[in-house]
Amino acid sequence: MAHPVLALATAAVTAAGCVWYLPALADLRAGADRPVSRRMRAASCVTAWATAATVAVLLLTTNPWTWPAAAATTGTLPALALLISSAHHHSRETHEAATHWTELTPTQPPPTRDRTRYVVAVLLTTGLTTATIIGALRLAENPDTPTAWLTTITTPAAILTLFITLAATHTHHRHPH
């Protein structure tokens, strides 16, 4: 597949991603008015979309696959680290809020903690990161046959599908309807 085609597709997806990164930029701009966990999650979002934009530019300006693949991998790792740190901060903030509410109303038991969203976030982030890295490595190998292109596309898709299935299964078993 030609670099300009992938660059155009990546740029189009990045432009459509404004529904995620524009609110994230607003959260970052709000500063201390937002909780630390929300600002870190916003920074993760902006980092991920900036990575996609960088990959689109590199696909247009470079010929080998190594630079776009390296940029995708390099940008995904800090976004993942920020997302995990955000989940950790959110957990502490939730615990602190529960403690404050318990002090205000000591007759009520503290609310039970539901960690489903964290498990799902870790599963989806792990799947997306793994699929991105595998896809970048496959592209770096410069596939030249239709079979190589098929495995370059289907392997990351299969990995991501596996992790989405695991997340959905965890949610279903945790909250049966």
Side-chain angles (χ1 to χ4, degrees):
M1 186 173 292
H3 282 257
V5 174
L6 285 176
L8 179 62
T10 305
V13 169
T14 302
C18 69
V19 297
W20 288 288
Y21 61 76
L22 289 179
L25 285 171
D27 283 343
L28 290 174
R29 186 167 167 82
D33 288 344
R34 301 288 192 270
V36 173
S37 63
R38 188 165 171 178
R39 288 181 298 188
M40 292 184 88
R41 189 172 47 243
S44 172
C45 177
V46 171
T47 301
W49 285 107
T51 299
T54 302
V55 169
V57 170
L58 287 173
L59 284 169
L60 280 176
T61 58
T62 62
N63 192 19
W65 288 100
T66 52
W67 289 107
T73 303
T74 304
T76 301
L77 295 177
L80 175 63
L82 284 166
L83 190 61
I84 291 170
S85 182
S86 168
H88 176 69
H89 279 282
H90 182 73
S91 175
R92 288 193 318 190
E93 291 164 358
T94 303
H95 180 67
E96 182 180 341
T99 303
H100 289 208
W101 278 108
T102 303
E103 291 172 1
L104 291 173
T105 56
T107 58
Q108 294 179 350
T112 59
R113 298 178 72 185
D114 184 15
R115 298 180 187 258
T116 301
R117 69 183 288 188
Y118 304 116
V119 172
V120 169
V122 167
L123 285 171
L124 293 178
T125 304
T126 303
L128 185 59
T129 302
T130 305
T132 301
I133 291 170
I134 296 294
L137 291 174
R138 294 287 300 157
L139 284 174
E141 293 175 357
N142 198 11
D144 55 355
T145 65
T147 306
W149 272 107
L150 181 65
T151 59
T152 298
I153 294 168
T154 57
T155 303
I159 290 169
L160 189 56
T161 302
L162 170 69
F163 279 93
I164 289 172
T165 304
L166 289 172
T169 303
H170 177 75
T171 303
H172 178 70
H173 286 300
R174 189 78 177 136
H175 300 288
H177 295 288

